[in-house]
């Protein structure tokens, strides 16, 4: 009888541990916001955190242009949201910065940190239907260090 009780107790402990680990993985990751207001910037985050990059659009940006991702090390950072016009709340973070060219003209993209390492995220502000030979109006390079 004691052996059966011990097996049952170990089963409950194992099940509880597995549920705790599964719950921790299902939790919403912390989101770190980085405003890429310079040509080259650095962001540091922890593994499993999300990095939201806010990109101010150039002053008097043409309507047919957008931010596009040129490079990223997908072993370190997984893209979770392609560049898109920022929401009102995201725009507020950009307009708080003194270097913002125009309120309400930011773009946002989000990455999830998968493991420790370094990824250089390069973005270009180009025509939405880019045929490859076009010079970007602006570029950004964000070095992301994942601890």
């Amino acid at each position: 009888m004691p052996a059966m009780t011990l097996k049952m107790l170990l089963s409950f402990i194992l099940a509880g541990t597995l549920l705790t680990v599964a719950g921790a993985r299902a939790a919403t990751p912390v989101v770190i916001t980085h405003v890429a207001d310079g040509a080259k910037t650095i962001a540091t985050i922890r593994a499993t955190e999300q990095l939201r990059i806010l990109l101010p659009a150039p002053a008097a940006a043409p309507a047919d242009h957008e931010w596009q991702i040129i490079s990223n090390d997908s072993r370190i950072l997984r893209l979770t949201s392609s560049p898109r016009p920022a929401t009102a709340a995201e725009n507020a973070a950009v307009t708080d910065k003194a270097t913002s060219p125009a309120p309400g003209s930011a773009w946002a993209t989000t990455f999830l940190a998968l493991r420790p390492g370094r990824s250089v995220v390069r973005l270009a502000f180009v025509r939405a239907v880019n045929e490859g030979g076009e010079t970007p109006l602006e570029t950004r390079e964000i070095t992301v260090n994942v601890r």
Side-chain angles (χ1 to χ4, degrees):
M1 192 80 148
M4 183 131 173
T5 306
L6 182 59
K7 281 184 180 180
M8 224 194 269
L9 179 61
L10 288 174
S11 295
F12 284 123
I13 290 172
L14 180 61
T17 303
L18 289 174
L19 288 173
T20 301
V21 170
R25 286 186 174 207
T28 305
V30 173
V31 178
I32 306 298
T33 300
H34 175 76
V35 179
D37 54 358
K40 291 186 177 188
T41 57
I42 299 172
T44 302
I45 62 173
R46 295 184 177 171
T48 72
E49 289 182 336
Q50 282 192 342
L51 177 66
R52 178 183 299 125
I53 299 173
L54 297 178
L55 304 149
D64 64 342
H65 280 59
E66 66 183 10
W67 283 103
Q68 294 181 3
I69 299 170
I70 305 304
S71 70
N72 167 50
D73 186 343
S74 60
R75 297 171 299 167
I76 307 297
L77 296 174
R78 180 179 46 178
L79 179 67
T80 57
S81 171
S82 295
R84 57 170 172 66
T87 64
E90 292 167 336
N91 270 317
V94 175
T95 54
D96 287 344
K97 301 284 264 179
T99 58
S100 175
S105 63
W107 285 66
T109 185
T110 308
F111 295 88
L112 175 66
L114 299 175
R115 64 184 180 130
R118 181 175 74 97
S119 177
V120 179
V121 179
R122 291 181 180 88
L123 299 113
F125 195 71
V126 294
R127 188 182 334 260
V129 183
N130 187 350
E131 296 180 9
E134 186 177 335
T135 302
L137 293 181
E138 258 188 66
T139 60
R140 293 289 190 271
E141 183 176 293
I142 303 102
T143 301
V144 182
N145 297 307
V146 180
R147 296 184 278 160

